[in-house]
Amino acid sequence: MLAIRRQLVSSQSKGILTRSRYISRYNSSVATGNVGSTVNTFKTAVETAEKLVQPPSSKIFNDPFSIVSHEMSNLAKSIASLIGSGHPTLNRVSSYYFEAEGKNVRPLIVLLLSKALSNIPLDQRNRIKIDTYDVTDQPHYQGTPTATSVAGKSVDDSISPLAILHGINPRVILDPLSKPMDKLPSFDAVNGILPKQRRLAEIVEMIHTASLLHDDVIDLSDSRRGRPSGNIAFTNKMAVLAGDFLLGRASVAIARLRNPEVIELLSTTIANLVEGEFMQLKNTVMKNEDTNIIDNDGESKSIPTPTGKVPTEQHEYSITPPQQVDHITNVDAAFEYYLHKTYLKTASLMSKSSRAAAVLSGSQDDIIEKCYEFGRNLGLCFQIVDDLLDYTSSDATFGKPSQADLKLGLATAPILFAWKEDPTLGELIGRKFNQPGDVEIARNAVQKYKGLEKTKEMAEQYCYKALDNLRVLPESDARSALEFLTNSILTRTK
C-alpha cells in the first residue's frame, strides 16, 4: 500500500493526477456497491490506483494527441485548403514543411486547451455569445440601422466579394490564383471544440511554419525536420516568398474569425516574430544601437544615418557601453534581453493563441488571463529547452543543425550562465564568437560552470508555473493531457 501511495504522490508532483480525482473515483465505486468487504476495499483501491497511474483503456497520458487525434490527423489537409494557390510551384514550396513530420506543438496546445475549456459550464462562459460558429451579436462593426453585422457571418463566408478578393471572376476562371477556402465541419458536441477554435489551430501552425521558412533563410540552415530546408530544396527567394504567402493566407483566415480581440492577438504575434528576429540579430545588450551590422557571411554593413524626418527611438534595452557598467549588471540585462527575445520569437505565439482559444470559448477574464500565462510560461520553457538541446543533441536527433547557436553568434542561456561566473566571456559574446577558437572556449566554459544544468533548472521553473496556471481549469482528461505535455517538454530530445 505504501508503494501505491508513493506512485500516486509521484504522479501528483508531475501534474498528471490529482488527489480529488482519485478520491472521487474510489468513492464512486463505494457508492455503487462494488466495495463490500475489507478485502474488496483494498482490491478496489489497488485497481483504482493502477488505473490512475497507468490507464489501460486510454493513451492520453502517453500521447496527448489521442484526445484530439481526429483534428490533428486532418491538420495538414485543412491547411492545404487554406493555402489555396493555383500556382503549382508556390503550392509546392508553401506546403513543403507540412509534408514532413513536425512536432505540431502549437496547434496541439490550442486544441487541447479548447477541449479543456469546454468543460467549464456554459453559464460561466458568457463573456461573448457562442454557438456552433462562435458568432457574436455584439456590434463590433457599426453601419446603417438595417445593415447586417459582419460578426453575424460564419467563418466560411468571405467579407468582400470573391471577385474582388481574387482579382478575377472565380466563376469564369476554374483555377484562380487564390482559391476560396474549404468549409469547416460543423460543431462536434461530443468533442467540445468549436469550429473557430479548430481554425485557430490551423492559423497558428501556418504562422509558425512561415516563420520557419524565413528563419532558415536568415540562419543559412540546410536541414529542417530531417530533410533539406526550404531554402536549400528550392531557393532563398522562393522560401521567403512562400513564407510571405502563408502569412497572407493566414491573415485572411484570421479576419474570418470575426472576433476583433482575436484578430488583434494573432496579428500582433506576426509583428512579435519579426521583433524577436531583429533582437536576435543584435543578440545582446553589449552595445548601443549598432551603426554597423555583420551578416551571416561575416560582411560588415553600415546602417544609414536617420534623416530625422521619421522619429526613431533607441530600443529599451540600449544601455551604456559595458566598460562603464559593472559585470553583474551587464549579465542581468543580457538575461532580461534574452528572455524578452525568447518571448517574442516563441512564447508570443503560444501565449496569444492560448488566450485567443479562451476568448472564443466565451470564458471570463480570469480564465483568459490564466490561459495566456500558461502559454507564456510553456513557450519560454519550450525555447529554453530548445536552446539546451542545441548544445546536447546530434543533427540526426534534433532534425536540424545542432550546436548552431554559437556558430551564429547567439548568446543563449547556457553561455549567459557561464558569463555570470567568468567576466572574460563578455568579450567573446560581444563579438559574437567570430574569432578563431571563440566557439570552443565558450563550449568549455558552459561545461565548466554548469551552464546546461542551470539552464535546465530555469526551464523547470517555467514548467512548474505553466502547470500552476492550468489549475484554474476544471479537472478533465484534456487538462491532464496538457499537464503531461507540459512535463514532457522538459524531457524531449528534439
Side-chain angles (χ1 to χ4, degrees):
M1 196 67 176
L2 182 60
I4 296 171
R5 181 178 297 176
R6 285 174 178 168
Q7 278 186 301
L8 287 171
V9 171
S10 174
S11 296
Q12 289 169 353
S13 68
K14 294 179 180 178
I16 300 175
L17 300 173
T18 62
R19 180 173 179 271
S20 60
R21 293 182 74 185
Y22 168 73
I23 292 174
S24 63
R25 292 189 190 184
Y26 173 70
N27 287 344
S28 176
S29 65
V30 174
T32 54
N34 292 331
V35 182
S37 64
T38 302
V39 175
N40 287 338
T41 301
F42 177 75
K43 181 180 179 181
T44 302
V46 172
E47 290 176 350
T48 304
E50 288 175 347
K51 289 178 181 179
L52 287 171
V53 177
Q54 291 182 331
S57 61
S58 175
K59 299 179 181 179
I60 61 171
F61 299 117
N62 295 323
D63 180 15
F65 280 81
S66 62
I67 288 184
V68 290
S69 58
H70 175 71
E71 288 80 4
M72 292 301 297
S73 62
N74 289 304
L75 182 71
K77 181 180 178 182
S78 298
I79 290 175
S81 71
L82 296 181
I83 294 174
S85 168
H87 194 291
T89 305
L90 180 54
N91 261 340
R92 184 77 186 91
V93 186
S94 301
S95 61
Y96 182 65
Y97 281 167
F98 297 113
E99 295 172 348
E101 183 178 349
K103 292 184 281 287
N104 294 325
V105 172
R106 290 153 189 83
L108 178 60
I109 291 169
V110 170
L111 292 170
L112 285 176
L113 188 58
S114 298
K115 190 168 178 63
L117 287 162
S118 70
N119 288 279
I120 300 175
L122 277 174
D123 61 357
Q124 298 175 28
R125 291 193 282 132
N126 54 6
R127 186 171 179 266
I128 62 173
K129 180 181 177 181
I130 59 172
D131 59 13
T132 57
Y133 272 105
D134 182 23
V135 175
T136 73
D137 58 0
Q138 300 173 10
H140 298 311
Y141 301 90
Q142 297 293 340
T144 62
T146 58
T148 301
S149 171
V150 175
K153 294 186 178 181
S154 83
V155 70
D156 299 319
D157 297 326
S158 64
I159 299 173
S160 302
L162 290 179
I164 292 176
L165 292 180
H166 304 326
I168 53 179
N169 188 343
R171 291 174 297 181
V172 175
I173 307 298
L174 298 180
D175 191 22
L177 193 59
S178 297
K179 299 175 182 176
M181 297 180 181
D182 283 359
K183 291 183 177 296
L184 273 170
S186 60
F187 174 65
D188 183 351
V190 176
N191 202 20
I193 300 174
L194 293 165
K196 284 193 177 182
Q197 290 172 325
R198 265 182 278 182
R199 180 54 48 84
L200 172 64
E202 295 157 10
I203 292 169
V204 167
E205 187 63 10
M206 290 171 69
I207 294 173
H208 171 61
T209 303
S211 74
L212 296 183
L213 284 163
H214 289 161
D215 284 354
D216 286 344
V217 173
I218 294 169
D219 297 339
L220 302 178
S221 300
D222 57 13
S223 63
R224 171 72 65 178
R225 295 177 177 173
R227 62 178 187 167
S229 54
N231 50 306
I232 298 298
F234 301 95
T235 64
N236 281 343
K237 290 181 180 179
M238 286 188 180
V240 170
L241 290 172
D244 292 344
F245 182 73
L246 280 176
L247 291 177
R249 295 302 282 165
S251 297
V252 174
I254 291 171
R256 291 183 183 176
L257 292 176
R258 292 178 172 84
N259 184 300
E261 188 173 359
V262 173
I263 293 171
E264 184 179 59
L265 284 168
L266 295 181
S267 299
T268 305
T269 64
I270 298 175
N272 289 158
L273 288 168
V274 179
E275 291 177 293
E277 194 62 47
F278 262 81
M279 288 186 73
Q280 183 163 291
L281 287 174
K282 187 186 173 188
N283 191 30
T284 68
V285 293
M286 291 295 292
K287 299 178 182 179
N288 282 317
E289 285 297 323
D290 299 328
T291 56
N292 290 280
I293 57 174
I294 299 176
D295 63 17
N296 286 339
D297 296 322
E299 181 182 352
S300 178
K301 297 182 182 295
S302 177
I303 297 178
T305 304
T307 63
K309 186 176 181 179
V310 178
T312 56
E313 297 180 1
Q314 281 195 330
H315 197 280
E316 61 180 300
Y317 286 102
S318 297
I319 61 174
T320 53
Q323 61 269 20
Q324 299 178 20
V325 182
D326 66 89
H327 166 62
I328 296 300
T329 301
N330 265 323
V331 175
D332 290 344
F335 264 110
E336 185 180 355
Y337 187 97
Y338 165 72
L339 289 173
H340 188 193
K341 178 203 72 176
T342 300
Y343 169 78
L344 292 172
K345 279 182 61 67
T346 303
S348 172
L349 186 56
M350 289 189 180
S351 61
K352 290 175 182 172
S353 60
S354 296
R355 186 181 182 94
V359 169
L360 292 173
S361 75
S363 296
Q364 299 300 320
D365 288 343
D366 59 332
I367 302 291
I368 292 173
E369 186 61 31
K370 287 295 184 181
C371 288
Y372 169 79
E373 289 296 329
F374 163 72
R376 181 182 183 277
N377 289 317
L378 184 67
L380 290 172
C381 174
F382 187 91
Q383 185 57 52
I384 291 170
V385 171
D386 217 52
D387 295 340
L388 180 69
L389 292 175
D390 188 74
Y391 280 81
T392 60
S393 294
S394 64
D395 290 7
T397 302
F398 211 22
K400 57 185 176 181
S402 61
Q403 303 178 16
D405 286 346
L406 289 175
K407 296 175 184 176
L408 290 171
L410 304 181
T412 55
I415 190 64
L416 292 180
F417 277 116
W419 181 28
K420 199 168 188 177
E421 303 296 329
D422 184 357
T424 64
L425 293 173
E427 186 176 349
L428 279 68
I429 294 172
R431 63 178 182 242
K432 299 185 177 182
F433 316 105
N434 63 0
Q435 298 296 318
D438 282 359
V439 171
E440 192 61 33
I441 292 172
R443 285 176 180 165
N444 291 337
V446 167
Q447 183 175 5
K448 178 180 179 180
Y449 296 111
K450 300 187 181 302
L452 299 181
E453 291 85 346
K454 293 173 183 177
T455 299
K456 180 71 177 292
E457 291 174 4
M458 174 186 275
E460 288 173 348
Q461 291 173 7
Y462 285 107
C463 174
Y464 299 148
K465 289 179 182 178
L467 290 171
D468 186 61
N469 297 142
L470 286 174
R471 294 194 180 101
V472 73
L473 300 174
E475 291 184 359
S476 66
D477 287 342
R479 195 188 94 172
S480 296
L482 279 170
E483 291 167 343
F484 180 82
L485 177 66
T486 301
N487 276 303
S488 67
I489 287 175
L490 290 176
T491 57
R492 70 187 181 95
T493 57
K494 61 180 180 178

